[in-house]
């Protein structure tokens, strides 16, 4: 493995970690800078496709609307495997995402186990997400112990 490949793998890991950090902090506008302008984001829950969004303008509106319903996000990224082919790459990563929402004056926590399939492109000396497919494999919701 060359030093260039190791550097690229680190940059791609930093990209998905930045996605998690910015999402947790609800910095949606900053998060959009991680995507190409024409990026596509698809969501599958329990094997069924429930959403497809194309373009950062639309994606920002959807993410902002969702973030307004969530009191707290907490994301933990796990393994991340990439295949690099020049200025493009593909990746698979796994995340645990916790979201706290209020319902009937009580806090509920939803715990998501997510597998992401990504396509990346190298543009203007940085890596961006061109396509992200989120497979929400396990979803558990419960009242938060307070």
């Amino acid at each position: 493995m060359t030093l260039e490949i190791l550097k690229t793998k680190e940059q791609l890991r930093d990209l998905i970690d930045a996605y998690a950090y910015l999402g947790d902090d609800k910095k949606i506008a900053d998060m959009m800078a991680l995507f190409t302008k024409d990026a596509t984001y698809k969501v599958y829950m329990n094997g069924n496709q429930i959403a497809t969004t194309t373009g950062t303008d639309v994606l920002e509106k959807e993410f902002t609307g969702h973030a307004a319903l969530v009191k707290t996000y907490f994301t933990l990224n796990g393994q991340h495997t990439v295949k690099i082919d020049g200025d493009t790459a593909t990746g698979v990563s796994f995340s645990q995402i916790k979201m706290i929402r209020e319902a009937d004056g009580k806090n509920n926590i939803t715990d998501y186990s997510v597998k992401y399939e990504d396509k990346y492109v190298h543009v203007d000396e940085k890596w961006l997400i061109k396509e992200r497919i989120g497979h929400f494999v396990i979803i558990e919701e419960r009242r938060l112990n307070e």
Side-chain angles (χ1 to χ4, degrees):
M1 190 171 304
T2 68
L3 185 57
E4 187 63 31
I5 289 174
L6 289 173
K7 180 181 171 186
T8 299
K9 285 185 173 199
E10 181 180 16
Q11 290 170 341
L12 291 169
R13 178 58 192 228
D14 289 348
L15 177 64
I16 67 152
D17 286 345
Y19 176 90
Y21 295 139
L22 292 169
D24 285 356
D25 290 340
K26 298 184 181 185
K27 294 181 178 178
I28 307 303
D30 293 339
M31 184 188 258
M32 293 303 107
L34 305 177
F35 291 91
T36 62
K37 281 294 207 189
D38 64 344
T40 299
Y41 186 89
K42 298 178 184 176
V43 176
Y44 288 81
M45 289 195 171
N46 299 316
N48 300 307
Q49 185 174 348
I50 64 161
T52 299
T53 303
T54 301
T56 53
D57 292 341
V58 177
L59 194 57
E60 183 173 0
K61 288 177 188 170
E62 289 193 15
F63 278 26
T64 299
H66 186 270
L69 303 174
V70 177
K71 291 174 70 172
T72 305
Y73 288 100
F74 184 87
T75 304
L76 180 63
N77 284 333
Q79 59 269 45
H80 181 230
T81 306
V82 296
K83 292 181 184 175
I84 303 159
D85 186 12
D87 285 343
T88 64
T90 57
V92 175
S93 60
F94 295 84
S95 295
Q96 286 295 128
I97 305 169
K98 297 179 186 306
M99 295 181 198
I100 298 174
R101 298 178 187 90
E102 188 176 316
D104 301 324
K106 301 284 184 179
N107 286 328
N108 292 324
I109 186 166
T110 308
D111 197 349
Y112 298 94
S113 299
V114 185
K115 174 185 174 185
Y116 289 110
E117 295 175 340
D118 294 328
K119 292 182 182 175
Y120 312 107
V121 294
H122 195 248
V123 179
D124 297 330
E125 303 300 316
K126 64 182 175 181
W127 285 95
L128 299 172
I129 301 167
K130 172 80 172 165
E131 179 179 293
R132 174 156 262 209
I133 301 172
H135 297 275
F136 289 69
V137 181
I138 300 170
I139 303 165
E140 178 188 6
E141 187 173 347
R142 63 191 179 281
R143 180 90 54 211
L144 184 63
N145 296 332
E146 297 179 9

